[in-house]
Amino acid sequence: MRIGIIGGNFNPIHIGHVSMIEEVYESFNLDKLLIVPNSNPHYKETRKIKFELTVDMINLAINKKIDYEISTLESDVNEKHFTLNTLKNISEMYKNDKLIFIIGSDQFLKFETWYKPEEIRKLINIVVPIRTPYFVDVEELIKKNPGSFIRKNYGRKVLLKTSTEKMMIFFDLVNKIDISSYAIKKMFVEDNAREAKKFLPSTVFEYIVKNKIYNL
């Protein structure tokens, strides 16, 4: 099977997440998507919510045509989670499958600050969906690593590979939605739910309001 792995806070999952997931799932002919919500993202300050609430919102948001599974590997709110360790666990669990790690261009721009990024690049193929305003300058990336990349272009995809690492694929999204979970939470806190509603699947918006998730 071809399995995509995507992590994140998903607090809350919004239309940008959903649109990107659907595009990548279809464009890369995935058989399954493994979603890994991070309950304790040490790389950002965020208002924590129960893991079960995040799972409910994801289930409400994802198109049922997509075969997906929600992982509990990063569900412990008291533990500091590192992507490398999670990917190693998943690689062991799915050792007979073809795996790709999906990382949004906003996070890819910070990728070198992650825990052992070079080991992640050696472990798994990486897909970077590019959205506004987080553009990745692939040409500049190649210039900084002269002679180390084998490059191929396929339509909206640019493939880079080195002799020691897996492939990195930069995917120019058709639908580039500029919104963040942080901005949506801020709208709710500032009593601007009407604006937040524009960026959420209707089922997720109703769930947030019903359960008063972001009320002060």
Side-chain angles (χ1 to χ4, degrees):
M1 284 200 301
R2 292 172 60 85
I3 300 176
I5 305 159
I6 183 167
N9 202 205
F10 302 110
N11 177 19
I13 187 169
H14 52 67
I15 60 172
H17 291 131
V18 176
S19 177
M20 183 265 284
I21 284 170
E22 291 177 350
E23 264 197 69
V24 171
Y25 192 90
E26 181 178 351
S27 296
F28 287 84
N29 298 311
L30 298 181
D31 299 300
K32 182 177 180 178
L33 182 70
L34 190 61
I35 303 173
V36 189
N38 186 340
S39 290
N40 185 18
H42 58 87
Y43 52 88
K44 66 166 76 171
E45 289 187 21
T46 186
R47 186 176 179 181
K48 295 181 179 66
I49 62 173
K50 291 181 179 179
F51 184 75
E52 292 76 17
L53 294 176
T54 301
V55 169
D56 284 349
M57 288 191 284
I58 292 171
N59 283 328
L60 288 169
I62 300 296
N63 188 325
K64 296 305 181 284
K65 293 179 182 178
I66 291 177
D67 184 5
Y68 72 96
E69 177 184 333
I70 299 176
S71 169
T72 60
L73 286 172
E74 297 185 356
S75 61
D76 188 344
V77 72
N78 296 312
E79 183 179 342
K80 187 177 282 190
H81 305 287
F82 292 98
T83 298
L84 175 62
N85 298 336
T86 299
L87 291 175
K88 282 181 176 178
N89 286 331
I90 293 172
S91 297
E92 187 62 29
M93 292 161 59
Y94 296 93
K95 61 177 63 177
N96 296 320
D97 297 294
K98 295 180 179 178
L99 305 177
I100 62 169
F101 175 48
I102 304 160
I103 169 176
S105 55
D106 57 331
Q107 288 302 313
F108 181 78
L109 292 173
K110 308 171 188 174
F111 184 65
E112 294 306 317
T113 68
W114 287 24
Y115 175 68
K116 297 185 178 180
E118 69 287 350
E119 289 196 30
I120 296 175
R121 291 194 298 267
K122 291 176 182 179
L123 176 67
I124 194 168
N125 291 318
I126 298 173
V127 169
V128 183
I130 297 175
R131 68 175 178 88
T132 309
Y134 305 101
F135 294 105
V136 178
D137 190 335
V138 177
E139 299 298 335
E140 186 64 24
L141 188 62
I142 293 173
K143 285 179 184 177
K144 289 181 179 179
N145 299 272
S148 63
F149 285 118
I150 300 171
R151 171 179 176 162
K152 293 183 180 179
N153 288 56
Y154 295 97
R156 305 183 73 86
K157 301 172 186 174
V158 178
L159 284 63
L160 301 181
K161 191 179 188 309
T162 74
S163 59
T164 59
E165 298 173 352
K166 297 282 188 176
M167 193 172 294
M168 283 196 297
I169 306 172
F170 297 90
F171 177 48
D172 185 23
L173 290 170
V174 173
N175 298 309
K176 299 178 175 67
I177 300 174
D178 182 12
I179 189 59
S180 69
S181 296
Y182 173 81
I184 291 170
K185 286 196 288 283
K186 190 169 184 286
M187 292 171 194
F188 277 108
V189 169
E190 294 176 350
D191 199 22
N192 194 7
R194 181 177 296 181
E195 185 67 17
K197 186 176 183 179
K198 298 176 184 177
F199 302 104
L200 294 165
S202 59
T203 49
V204 173
F205 175 77
E206 291 163 7
Y207 183 85
I208 290 170
V209 172
K210 179 181 178 181
N211 291 279
K212 300 179 181 179
I213 294 176
Y214 301 118
N215 286 16
L216 290 176

